[in-house]
Amino acid sequence: MKILFLCTHNACRSILAQSITTSIGAGNLEAFSAGSHPSGQVHPDTLKQLTKRGYSINGLNSKSWDELFDLNPDIVITVCDQAAGETCPIWFGKAIKGHWGLPDPTKCPEEEKNVIFDKVFLILETRIRMLVNSIDHSSHQELSELIEQLGKVE
């Protein structure tokens, strides 16, 4: 299955979700990320935090969702509040859609960054593990409901 994480700038949260899913979901989920208004570069703190935790940063880049018009994802999850309010491109079609709103650690005061990064990592790792553990045993409707429920898991 293909999962696409969306965030407006595709510089932090969607990148984190992509890398974590690539690691945890290996063999079950192929992860991608994009943004509606990409910054053009992954935030340096995002790369530093991924590396610190042992996640791969190979191939991560900030890109527009326009670059993924051929992707046909099975699941599309927005991870920032701005992206949740935007209309997803029509080519995401019948994909299961969900919203997992998360704070942006790169926008926090310097003294809070590590705490917020820790929180975001813990939430994403928990949600993604739960999704991966259920993906082979769930119908389309059950996955849709699970993704919605996971958006509330802290």
Side-chain angles (χ1 to χ4, degrees):
M1 290 189 95
K2 295 179 199 163
I3 186 167
L4 173 62
F5 294 98
L6 297 176
C7 194
T8 303
H9 301 295
N10 190 220
C12 183
R13 291 162 287 184
S14 54
I15 297 286
L16 295 175
Q18 177 186 355
S19 182
I20 293 167
T21 303
T22 297
S23 176
I24 293 174
N28 289 319
L29 283 173
E30 188 177 3
F32 303 87
S33 69
S36 56
H37 298 91
S39 67
Q41 67 178 26
V42 177
H43 195 284
D45 287 341
T46 301
L47 297 173
K48 186 166 83 172
Q49 292 285 337
L50 283 166
T51 301
K52 176 175 125 179
R53 288 169 169 81
Y55 288 104
S56 176
I57 61 170
N58 292 335
L60 297 177
N61 63 324
S62 176
K63 65 194 148 306
S64 170
W65 60 23
D66 293 334
E67 294 179 43
L68 300 176
F69 70 92
D70 285 342
L71 181 62
N72 296 316
D74 299 292
I75 302 168
V76 177
I77 298 175
T78 55
V79 291
C80 74
D81 292 334
Q82 284 177 289
E86 296 175 0
T87 303
C88 286
I90 194 160
W91 64 85
F92 293 158
K94 296 182 183 197
I96 296 169
K97 295 171 188 79
H99 176 64
W100 294 356
L102 298 166
D104 185 349
T106 65
K107 302 286 190 232
C108 295
E110 197 61 41
E111 63 275 6
E112 295 177 27
K113 267 188 189 175
N114 285 333
V115 170
I116 302 301
F117 265 111
D118 289 345
K119 178 181 178 179
V120 170
F121 268 96
L122 180 61
I123 291 169
L124 283 172
E125 288 168 339
T126 299
R127 291 176 182 178
I128 291 164
R129 275 193 183 93
M130 292 173 79
L131 178 60
V132 168
N133 289 336
S134 301
I135 212 147
D136 289 335
H137 316 292
S138 301
S139 68
H140 188 275
Q141 181 63 35
E142 289 168 334
L143 271 179
S144 181
E145 290 169 6
L146 174 64
I147 288 166
E148 183 179 333
Q149 291 168 358
L150 290 175
K152 299 170 188 163
V153 172
E154 290 291 317

